[in-house]
Amino acid sequence: MSNGDGFTYSPELGVWQRLSEMWWAVGSQYWNTLDESVRSVPTMNASSSSSSAPTGQLRGGAAVAEDGGDHNDEDDDADDLGVGIENLSAGIVPLVERNTTDQTLLRGRAYFLQRLVKSLLSAEGYENFESVVSIGHLENRVAAALTLGAREEFRMYLLMYAKRLGSEGLKGKVEELLRSLVGHWFVDEGRKGEEDGEGWQTSGAELVGWKRDGLVKEVVLILGKHRDLQRITLPVHAVSKQPLQSQATQTDDGASRIDTESSVDKEPHQRSTDRQQSIDRSDPAAISDEESENETGSTAEDKLLAPETRKRQSLNLRSISRVPRTAPYDAHDNGEIIAMRIARTGHIFVTITRTSLFVWQTRTELGFLITYSVATDPSAIVYRQQQVQATHSRRHSITNGIHRSHGNRDPGAGDYIPEINVRFRMVLKIDAGIGRTLALDDELVVSTIKPAAVQCIRWTPDTKGSQTSTELISKMTWISNEAKIIDMVHDRPMNLSTWVTDDGKAYAVQRVPGASASPNPKRSVSMFKGYCFHSPKVVTEHGVKVAINARFSLVAIGCANGNIVVYTARDYDGNIPLSHTLRPVNSADSLGTLTCLTYSPDGHCLFAGYARGWMTWSVYGKLTGSSFSSDSTVTAFNDEKWLTGVHEAFWMGGGSSLLILSPADDRLWTLEMARSATTGCFSPDNISRPILQTDGGFMLYRGYEVADLTAISMESSLWHHVQIPAGYLADQWPIRCLAVSADGRYVAVAGRRGLAHYSVSSGRWKMFDDTGSENEFAVRGGMCWHQHILFAAVETDTEYQLRLFSREKQMDENEVLHIENFEAPIIHITLSGDDSLLVYTYENVLFHYVIGAVDSTVTVTLVGQIGLQGIIRAPPRVRSVSWIVPEEQLQQGDPSQDVATATVLFLVDGKLVLLQPSANEQGELKYDMRVIASNVEYYSLMRDQEAVGGEENTVSLPFLPDGGLKIQAAQSNGLRDSLWYFDGSTVRVWTDIQDVLSSVPQDLGRDLPAAVLINVDFYPLCALVSKGILFGVESELVQRRDLSFAFWRFATRTHLFLPPLLRHHLSQYDSPAALHLSHHYQKLPYFPHALEVLLHDVLDDEVETAPPPETALLPSILSFLSSFPQYLDIIVQCTRKTEVRSWRTLFAYLPSPQELFEESLDKGSLKTAGGYLLVLHNLEDLHTGSNLSLRLLRRATEVRDWELCKELARFLMALDESGSTLREALAEVDVQSRGDGEGAARLLDTQPSPTRQSMPITAGTNGAHGAHARGMTASSAGPHSPRSADADNGAAGTYSTRGGGDYFESLPGS
């Protein structure tokens, strides 16, 4: 055209396609104005030479010098690609571009455009302008040549385009280019009959006269020079070369037989690796340059695979937020992740899309099993991080004298990223179809579909040269016929597998050592033995998923209806009874299909993923989180698929976070967890001082150090947040063990190696200066504090030790106070009493040490030991050890005799076991064992926590909102010998452990005393005995419309434990014990409320059950309450929050309301008397002529309580709508004559409407609101006082529901 633009008509699209325009002439680096610019470009067989470009060539808006100092990029590309000069200049596209140049120069636009482009190149935001225009120009050239069918031009422009994409590192465009080139190499079965496409979408072997495979190889050869693109190009090359596959044939019994062939391609030219071995692997630049130099003289395949000739690929798996779409040869691969797995160590995981695999995974769609080996070479460093010193520091993370770098390193990253080698092993073709696979240490276990069988493929052949063995499921006598395996898992610590079949049954399976199936049935030995432990009776109970918890010996079976049935694996002989069942509150339809079931590495949390959400439970069934409470509208708007469904999920960082893959999503979502420190280090101090461990820090509860009302308030921030130093996290993440001191002053943390400790008072950390000393040991058996001395059970490469560190000294191997060596690994350490240390080892021996101080240093002395062989079968399953020494032995006995008198308390799996010593007839020491509790998540023996809250340990801690309150004393609270434990649903308490000990001997035949049950609707962390409350947390999902993401937070919850304990004592007719317990808590500001809750609970139960008077508990409760001065207030407060129908049951065991009214009036409790006035009105139909109201009104005016006078006026107005009763009462009281005109005016000025009758001392709700509508006032039910809504809501919110947990929000001063 006359303006210089060129077009061609596309009959397929029915549009004109642009071939050339003037913007490319001034902006593209690939524009040529004259033919002479390529006169030096060689032909396909000629050698390269160079020549200068002509004067006046337009290139990027700048003229090229005549001396040839600046070559055109197209010349360089042509040199590299070997394109003939005649093919470059004689085509249609160059002809059109020359015409554009001529018209631009003739019209005088060249100078203007050059100036414009030059100014753009120097402007901010246009740095990539020239690159974008150049790439767009090349794309247009390729499209024009494809449309025009210009064969030579298409190949030349395609390879130039590929080279430019490689130099720019544009992975997205590279994937698009390769996907277009590959075309329909992979055709779905359902698309084979479709009509052939046009252009790139043709299914033929040629494209514009060139063979597709030839073009692909040339493009991959160019792109393969760039290391960052090899992950994209290698799969294309591997497919194009068609590697050998292992074929499977059918044996006589119908099973698949695997003939494994070498899958490593035979390269005709093997490159020498001698020079590569001399390269510094820590310098990626050196690797790249050296490999580029070695390409000379190599074949195309050699260049493509460099530096991957050994079939390996280095991957950095440290930071993955979104998996790249790396499969360029599947046009239908949209990057959706279809599966993922995690390594046993928990540090390496893999993801797989439809065509791309990262690290390790099986592909089962077409019956192919692809295996890879993964190895980490610590000496091979991909790159080393250079740290930048931080310019600020946090108060809570200050280090003292530590010179280690604290740069912004990711947790676990260390100082360098090691190389991870992925080596291709083999491809197995299994015609029988693949159901599930298990990769074990020695073999690969594969379940086939048709026929249903199990194949074991050894990684290396055995001594007989055999590598595979197969056993049909129909030959397994212990499994149902015609069954197919739909899920199977293996747990290495338990050496147990679990299979779930399509008929819904679940089996516990073990591999028979050395057994292998044989085609001859007479010689065949079953490879597996198993037992069915889950046999559903209905279809909804069919098992679909399975998970194993080795820490607690549990096996969880996910059912079709969404329920999860949990069994206890007691032995390997089929003794697997039911433990408990988890039933989601949502219906099966709202849940969707159960897709994922997995326990955390520490065994304390179970994650269940459904098609429409997910849930988490504690190990024995406390619901701790759910995504089904999310707002579907906000979730859909923010595109947060992790809340609406789960495809797969697994735990990372030892349980510190959860990685979630949602259906039809190419993103991985990370959910960080906050877990109790007892999950990694079970100690009395970690229970008494609740401490939550996060991925990079911890939160310490400070409720002990604040006032009572502050401790129970949900509004106050009672958590001390501390960030673990970045230097220690980078080297030793994840944190595996955390221990707090009994007084809350110090906290110690231990990761993969070494340890560090923190002072709450100073806010300073102490770590090892020498990383070699830190990496020399690892904490394995736990830690605990004795004053400022830290005891740590550690392991080195050759020894098992107990080391003592002082907080007052620097962290150095020469500053260790004491080292005690052991012959076996330490499983658990704990302190007992004032100076005793218990150490339990893998040899099943419990050692007793006494802590002593010698010459200003601390030592431990062994004074006794107990051999527990034959009692504890599996020492690693022991989570905690405590013992109870008699008081006489503690005060006057020899410490060496403690082992002969102490009762040992073990927590094994989820069972609490007591071992009580006794002597047999020969005088020999023996132990009576008894399991006293099951399903125990944690327990607390209060005599081990005597130091908590004692006056001798009162300290003033920093960072408190009230300036540092003293710790409350609670030495003698009546619960010193109590034992508490949580079973996943309720907190259970034995108030005196001696009662339990007396029932241990089996020959006595005594039953265990009943434990007190305390129901809570949150997860309890500990019992704050000095404050009379249970403390815990509850997770909450927060979604706001002003935020583009949802997040979780936990709310602090409290619950009074006094009411159930007092009720237990009174139900046992032990009033002295109840009075003794109450004596130690009566100074608490919320003690009257605790008594009120006690009365509420008993009254509600007896109203519902109506027990006979001789068995009723209510009389004992009322008699007990009469011992306290708040007795009258408690009764009237109870009437405020109960139904009117309950009042007759209550007052059946009380004096008449009029007597209580008189007693209140005599004591000067006028508001309490007003409450009984209302009770009289409802129960005895108080008449208007009664003088009780006048007496109360007169007393109120005498003490000038005008608020009470106003409420009494409203009450009298409700009794008589005409107002005559009120006028008579005012005249009787004669307010004016008292000279208090102001008070009378205030009283008369606030008379309510005729229907209002509420009082601050009004009682309970009408029956319509139910017994649980605490905190609501009620109207009187007399004929002269109709019910009103205002009366119901008069005191709403003053008190909350039963249990006392939320009541404290509204207490005065809270």
Side-chain angles (χ1 to χ4, degrees):
M1 299 182 68
S2 59
N3 63 353
D5 295 347
F7 298 88
T8 182
Y9 183 76
S10 173
E12 293 82 5
L13 300 177
V15 297
W16 288 91
Q17 179 178 342
R18 186 184 299 274
L19 299 180
S20 174
E21 64 176 341
M22 63 184 66
W23 273 108
W24 290 329
V26 295
S28 173
Q29 297 173 338
Y30 295 92
W31 189 267
N32 282 304
T33 57
L34 298 174
D35 291 344
E36 288 82 354
S37 62
V38 294
R39 63 188 178 203
S40 60
V41 177
T43 62
M44 295 291 288
N45 299 323
S47 60
S48 299
S49 61
S50 73
S51 177
S52 61
T55 306
Q57 173 185 345
L58 290 178
R59 177 175 171 272
V64 181
E66 295 187 41
D67 60 359
D70 188 4
H71 284 280
N72 187 278
D73 287 353
E74 186 174 8
D75 300 345
D76 299 333
D77 290 340
D79 291 343
D80 294 339
L81 302 177
V83 181
I85 184 173
E86 68 281 359
N87 297 327
L88 182 65
S89 60
I92 300 177
V93 176
L95 176 63
V96 176
E97 290 185 355
R98 287 196 297 271
N99 180 68
T100 300
T101 303
D102 295 339
Q103 294 298 328
T104 303
L105 293 174
L106 289 175
R107 294 178 178 271
R109 297 180 181 177
Y111 180 76
F112 168 75
L113 292 176
Q114 289 175 5
R115 293 282 303 272
L116 179 60
V117 172
K118 187 174 182 180
S119 61
L120 284 176
L121 293 176
S122 60
E124 182 179 359
Y126 289 85
E127 295 83 358
N128 299 324
F129 174 79
E130 192 174 24
S131 175
V132 172
V133 174
S134 299
I135 293 175
H137 180 211
L138 287 176
E139 290 176 344
N140 186 79
R141 279 183 166 183
V142 174
L146 179 64
T147 302
L148 297 173
R151 183 174 182 272
E152 297 294 336
E153 294 175 71
F154 175 77
R155 174 179 174 271
M156 176 187 65
Y157 295 144
L158 176 66
L159 300 184
M160 292 168 61
Y161 179 56
K163 182 178 180 181
R164 183 58 183 242
L165 293 183
S167 62
E168 295 285 347
L170 302 177
K171 296 182 180 180
K173 287 187 175 293
V174 169
E175 293 179 12
E176 181 182 7
L177 174 62
L178 292 176
R179 191 177 293 115
S180 300
L181 278 177
V182 169
H184 288 275
W185 282 6
F186 301 97
V187 181
D188 296 337
E189 293 294 333
R191 298 190 54 180
K192 288 186 176 180
E194 293 184 5
E195 184 178 354
D196 193 15
E198 299 290 341
W200 299 101
Q201 302 301 321
T202 57
S203 58
E206 293 187 353
L207 188 63
V208 199
W210 298 97
K211 291 185 177 297
R212 282 184 179 267
D213 55 353
L215 293 176
V216 170
K217 288 183 178 180
E218 288 186 283
V219 171
V220 172
L221 176 63
I222 295 173
L223 297 174
K225 297 179 181 179
H226 303 277
R227 188 179 183 87
D228 57 339
L229 298 177
Q230 289 176 1
R231 184 184 298 181
I232 303 176
T233 57
L234 278 176
V236 179
H237 173 75
V239 173
S240 65
K241 295 183 67 175
Q242 299 179 357
L244 297 177
Q245 297 176 348
S246 299
Q247 301 297 328
T249 60
Q250 295 291 327
T251 59
D252 296 335
D253 58 359
S256 296
R257 175 172 58 84
I258 309 297
D259 296 328
T260 306
E261 300 181 8
S262 174
S263 61
V264 179
D265 297 332
K266 309 302 183 188
E267 298 288 349
H269 303 283
Q270 295 293 338
R271 296 171 56 192
S272 174
T273 60
D274 296 338
R275 184 171 178 83
Q276 292 183 4
Q277 294 175 357
S278 63
I279 299 174
D280 182 7
R281 303 294 296 179
S282 64
D283 188 357
I287 297 176
S288 179
D289 295 340
E290 197 65 33
E291 290 168 347
S292 299
E293 293 176 9
N294 288 339
E295 289 179 3
T296 305
S298 301
T299 63
E301 286 79 4
D302 291 332
K303 294 179 180 179
L304 171 67
L305 294 178
E308 305 296 339
T309 55
R310 292 166 294 179
K311 301 292 184 183
R312 72 180 186 180
Q313 183 176 3
S314 299
L315 304 177
N316 174 21
L317 300 181
R318 295 295 181 183
S319 56
I320 295 182
S321 59
R322 189 182 182 100
V323 177
R325 303 172 182 175
T326 59
Y329 49 84
D330 187 355
H332 305 287
D333 184 10
N334 59 359
E336 176 187 345
I337 304 172
I338 60 175
M340 61 181 181
R341 292 292 184 273
I342 190 168
R344 187 191 315 124
T345 59
H347 300 303
I348 300 175
F349 68 91
V350 296
T351 59
I352 183 173
T353 66
R354 294 184 182 276
T355 55
S356 305
L357 179 142
F358 297 86
V359 182
W360 186 89
Q361 173 60 17
T362 58
R363 178 178 176 178
T364 61
E365 290 89 342
L366 302 176
F368 288 92
L369 188 64
I370 307 174
T371 60
Y372 294 80
S373 63
V374 182
T376 302
D377 185 3
S379 60
I381 302 173
V382 176
Y383 68 89
R384 186 180 299 275
Q385 299 187 78
Q386 182 177 1
Q387 305 302 331
V388 179
Q389 294 293 337
T391 59
H392 66 280
S393 60
R394 293 186 180 180
R395 163 105 172 116
H396 305 323
S397 301
I398 301 175
T399 55
N400 186 18
I402 304 301
H403 302 290
R404 291 169 57 175
S405 173
H406 286 213
N408 298 323
R409 291 182 286 176
D410 292 333
D415 291 329
Y416 61 88
I417 301 298
E419 183 181 75
I420 299 176
N421 297 324
V422 182
R423 186 183 299 274
F424 179 76
R425 294 179 63 91
M426 55 184 162
V427 177
L428 306 176
K429 180 64 169 67
I430 301 180
D431 294 332
I434 302 174
R436 302 290 295 181
T437 60
L438 283 178
L440 307 182
D441 291 341
D442 300 326
E443 61 187 5
L444 184 68
V445 181
V446 182
S447 67
T448 60
I449 300 175
K450 189 176 182 181
V454 178
Q455 296 183 351
C456 297
I457 308 170
R458 297 182 60 85
W459 298 116
T460 57
D462 56 16
T463 55
K464 299 179 181 180
S466 175
Q467 192 169 358
T468 64
S469 57
T470 304
E471 183 175 1
L472 292 173
I473 292 181
S474 59
K475 303 295 183 181
M476 302 178 187
T477 58
W478 45 271
I479 199 170
S480 303
N481 292 330
E482 306 295 332
K484 298 178 182 178
I485 299 175
I486 61 174
D487 192 22
M488 61 180 180
V489 297
H490 178 79
D491 187 79
R492 187 168 177 261
M494 293 183 64
N495 190 25
L496 180 71
S497 297
T498 304
W499 298 353
V500 178
T501 55
D502 56 358
D503 57 359
K505 296 182 179 181
Y507 300 84
V509 184
Q510 276 194 303
R511 182 80 153 88
V512 179
S516 61
S518 172
N520 189 349
K522 296 182 179 180
R523 298 181 179 179
S524 178
V525 179
S526 179
M527 297 187 298
F528 302 94
K529 67 174 183 178
Y531 307 91
C532 179
F533 63 91
H534 177 74
S535 181
K537 298 180 180 179
V538 295
V539 177
T540 57
E541 296 178 356
H542 278 199
V544 293
K545 290 293 179 180
V546 61
I548 299 178
N549 186 341
R551 196 72 178 90
F552 291 85
S553 301
L554 299 176
V555 180
I557 303 298
C559 301
N561 59 1
N563 293 346
I564 300 173
V565 185
V566 184
Y567 296 86
T568 301
R570 294 182 176 176
D571 52 40
Y572 295 103
D573 296 327
N575 186 12
I576 307 178
L578 176 66
S579 173
H580 57 281
T581 302
L582 306 177
R583 294 181 173 87
V585 295
N586 304 76
S587 64
D589 294 336
S590 62
L591 293 173
T593 306
L594 181 64
T595 59
C596 176
L597 196 65
T598 176
Y599 277 102
S600 61
D602 54 39
H604 286 79
C605 184
L606 175 64
F607 176 86
Y610 297 89
R612 296 185 178 91
W614 52 263
M615 291 183 177
T616 57
W617 288 272
S618 67
V619 59
Y620 286 114
K622 191 65 176 181
L623 183 65
T624 56
S626 173
S627 70
F628 291 97
S629 61
S630 62
D631 188 329
S632 59
T633 303
V634 179
T635 303
F637 180 79
N638 294 334
D639 191 25
E640 293 186 293
K641 294 184 178 180
W642 64 283
L643 292 172
T644 58
V646 175
H647 181 60
E648 288 194 50
F650 57 74
W651 297 86
M652 299 189 305
S656 61
S657 58
L658 191 71
L659 200 66
I660 299 176
L661 171 62
S662 301
D665 196 3
D666 62 346
R667 296 168 293 179
L668 301 178
W669 304 86
T670 303
L671 184 62
E672 185 176 346
M673 296 289 178
R675 49 187 174 149
S676 172
T678 57
T679 60
C681 182
F682 195 107
S683 68
D685 298 333
N686 281 355
I687 297 176
S688 62
R689 295 275 181 178
I691 184 169
L692 297 180
Q693 177 183 341
T694 61
D695 191 48
F698 60 85
M699 295 174 287
L700 178 64
Y701 178 66
R702 308 177 303 177
Y704 282 103
E705 292 79 36
V706 297
D708 298 324
L709 286 176
T710 306
I712 60 180
S713 174
M714 297 177 62
E715 302 298 331
S716 301
S717 177
L718 300 175
W719 293 95
H720 182 55
H721 296 256
V722 180
Q723 183 71 24
I724 298 175
Y728 185 80
L729 276 180
D731 296 333
Q732 311 302 347
W733 183 87
I735 302 301
R736 295 175 175 173
C737 185
L738 191 148
V740 63
S741 62
D743 56 8
R745 296 184 182 184
Y746 310 118
V747 179
V749 298
R752 290 181 296 178
R753 311 290 292 183
L755 59 87
H757 47 75
Y758 172 79
S759 172
V760 178
S761 301
S762 64
R764 295 184 177 274
W765 283 92
K766 283 189 177 181
M767 300 184 298
F768 283 93
D769 289 332
D770 181 17
T771 56
S773 300
E774 180 178 86
N775 293 321
E776 183 260 342
F777 69 91
V779 176
R780 288 290 184 268
M783 301 182 293
C784 59
W785 288 90
H786 178 70
Q787 297 179 11
H788 67 282
I789 305 300
L790 176 64
F791 293 77
V794 305
E795 294 181 11
T796 65
D797 293 337
T798 58
E799 296 177 309
Y800 310 104
Q801 299 175 337
L802 177 68
R803 295 188 180 184
L804 278 63
F805 300 88
S806 173
R807 172 64 194 180
E808 308 301 328
K809 296 181 179 294
Q810 295 297 325
M811 295 290 288
D812 188 86
E813 59 182 1
N814 298 323
E815 297 291 342
V816 179
L817 298 181
H818 181 78
I819 297 179
E820 188 78 10
N821 292 306
F822 291 83
E823 296 181 356
I826 299 175
I827 296 177
H828 182 73
I829 63 173
T830 186
L831 294 173
S832 179
D834 296 331
D835 58 354
S836 293
L837 175 69
L838 303 180
V839 180
Y840 181 66
T841 67
Y842 197 86
E843 291 180 323
N844 220 344
V845 178
L846 179 64
F847 295 93
H848 176 214
Y849 288 87
V850 173
I851 305 172
V854 179
D855 297 333
S856 69
T857 186
V858 179
T859 61
V860 291
T861 304
L862 179 64
V863 294
Q865 65 184 49
I866 304 175
L868 300 173
Q869 293 81 2
I871 300 177
I872 304 298
R873 291 187 301 173
R877 294 187 180 179
V878 174
R879 296 178 54 214
S880 177
V881 181
S882 304
W883 74 3
I884 304 169
V885 181
E887 288 295 331
E888 183 179 355
Q889 175 67 22
L890 278 176
Q891 300 297 331
Q892 303 176 1
D894 183 1
S896 62
Q897 298 300 315
D898 287 354
V899 295
T901 59
T903 299
V904 185
L905 188 63
F906 281 92
L907 182 58
V908 185
D909 290 339
K911 300 178 179 62
L912 204 54
V913 182
L914 269 180
L915 299 178
Q916 191 173 40
S918 62
N920 56 18
E921 297 178 355
Q922 291 76 25
E924 297 176 348
L925 185 66
K926 68 182 184 69
Y927 282 93
D928 297 316
M929 183 181 71
R930 184 162 188 176
V931 178
I932 63 174
S934 300
N935 294 359
V936 179
E937 297 195 9
Y938 67 86
Y939 75 93
S940 177
L941 188 61
M942 285 303 165
R943 64 164 49 200
D944 288 340
Q945 302 180 13
E946 285 185 278
V948 178
E951 288 184 346
E952 65 276 10
N953 294 323
T954 57
V955 293
S956 179
L957 297 182
F959 321 122
L960 299 181
D962 56 356
L965 295 175
K966 299 295 183 181
I967 296 177
Q968 298 291 328
Q971 304 98 320
S972 178
N973 49 37
L975 297 174
R976 177 182 180 275
D977 274 341
S978 61
L979 176 63
W980 305 63
Y981 71 92
F982 180 60
D983 64 0
S985 59
T986 59
V987 177
R988 298 173 183 258
V989 188
W990 281 296
T991 57
D992 193 347
I993 191 62
Q994 301 300 328
D995 298 337
V996 180
L997 298 182
S998 62
S999 62
V1000 171
Q1002 300 289 342
D1003 53 355
L1004 298 179
R1006 296 180 180 176
D1007 294 332
L1008 286 172
V1012 183
L1013 275 63
I1014 306 176
N1015 294 310
V1016 292
D1017 58 354
F1018 55 89
Y1019 191 89
L1021 294 177
C1022 73
L1024 302 182
V1025 177
S1026 63
K1027 301 182 183 299
I1029 60 175
L1030 290 174
F1031 168 79
V1033 293
E1034 182 180 36
S1035 60
E1036 296 178 349
L1037 178 63
V1038 179
Q1039 289 180 293
R1040 293 168 44 182
R1041 296 188 180 273
D1042 58 341
L1043 293 178
S1044 60
F1045 59 89
F1047 62 92
W1048 288 87
R1049 67 182 180 189
F1050 63 86
T1052 301
R1053 297 288 304 277
T1054 55
H1055 184 94
L1056 281 170
F1057 65 69
L1058 281 177
L1061 294 184
L1062 294 174
R1063 180 174 182 174
H1064 170 75
H1065 286 309
L1066 295 174
S1067 64
Q1068 302 294 322
Y1069 305 103
D1070 193 357
S1071 297
L1075 290 172
H1076 176 71
L1077 181 63
S1078 301
H1079 171 73
H1080 300 288
Y1081 293 99
Q1082 60 184 355
K1083 293 184 180 180
L1084 294 175
Y1086 42 84
F1087 176 71
H1089 175 69
L1091 299 180
E1092 181 187 333
V1093 172
L1094 170 64
L1095 179 59
H1096 277 306
D1097 293 339
V1098 176
L1099 178 61
D1100 288 346
D1101 292 343
E1102 298 206 351
V1103 168
E1104 296 296 332
T1105 59
E1110 57 272 13
T1111 61
L1113 182 59
L1114 185 59
S1116 300
I1117 298 296
L1118 294 172
S1119 176
F1120 169 74
L1121 294 179
S1122 64
S1123 304
F1124 300 95
Q1126 304 92 344
Y1127 167 66
L1128 295 173
D1129 293 325
I1130 293 172
I1131 299 299
V1132 77
Q1133 293 290 353
C1134 180
T1135 61
R1136 290 186 58 187
K1137 307 182 192 74
T1138 54
E1139 301 176 6
V1140 176
R1141 68 185 182 93
S1142 302
W1143 294 1
R1144 295 193 181 276
T1145 303
L1146 175 62
F1147 284 94
Y1149 304 101
L1150 287 172
S1152 66
Q1154 185 170 353
E1155 293 182 24
L1156 297 177
F1157 172 84
E1158 297 290 350
E1159 186 176 355
S1160 300
L1161 205 60
D1162 293 341
K1163 291 183 177 181
S1165 301
L1166 302 185
K1167 290 187 178 181
T1168 304
Y1172 289 112
L1173 188 64
L1174 183 60
V1175 174
L1176 280 168
H1177 171 64
N1178 283 274
L1179 295 182
E1180 300 183 6
D1181 193 15
L1182 182 67
H1183 298 292
T1184 58
S1186 174
N1187 63 351
L1188 296 181
S1189 302
L1190 299 178
R1191 292 174 55 194
L1192 182 58
L1193 182 60
R1194 183 179 294 108
R1195 289 288 301 273
T1197 56
E1198 290 176 355
V1199 297
R1200 301 168 63 88
D1201 190 349
W1202 303 118
E1203 292 298 325
L1204 179 58
C1205 292
K1206 287 191 293 184
E1207 297 300 332
L1208 286 171
R1210 293 174 183 173
F1211 176 70
L1212 294 175
M1213 194 67 182
L1215 293 178
D1216 182 8
E1217 297 181 3
S1218 64
S1220 59
T1221 302
L1222 177 59
R1223 287 190 292 270
E1224 292 175 2
L1226 294 177
E1228 187 77 20
V1229 174
D1230 194 12
V1231 176
Q1232 295 287 351
S1233 65
R1234 299 177 182 270
D1236 195 346
E1238 179 184 358
R1242 291 169 59 186
L1243 177 62
L1244 296 173
D1245 188 52
T1246 56
Q1247 293 184 9
S1249 61
T1251 59
R1252 185 172 181 87
Q1253 59 182 12
S1254 63
M1255 298 175 62
I1257 36 79
T1258 52
T1261 64
N1262 197 312
H1265 282 194
H1268 298 293
R1270 308 276 168 76
M1272 302 288 290
T1273 61
S1275 61
S1276 58
H1280 302 288
S1281 53
R1283 175 185 173 88
S1284 69
D1286 291 337
D1288 288 337
N1289 297 324
T1294 304
Y1295 294 86
S1296 70
T1297 59
R1298 61 194 301 171
D1302 297 327
Y1303 158 77
F1304 308 114
E1305 288 185 86
S1306 57
L1307 279 178
S1310 63

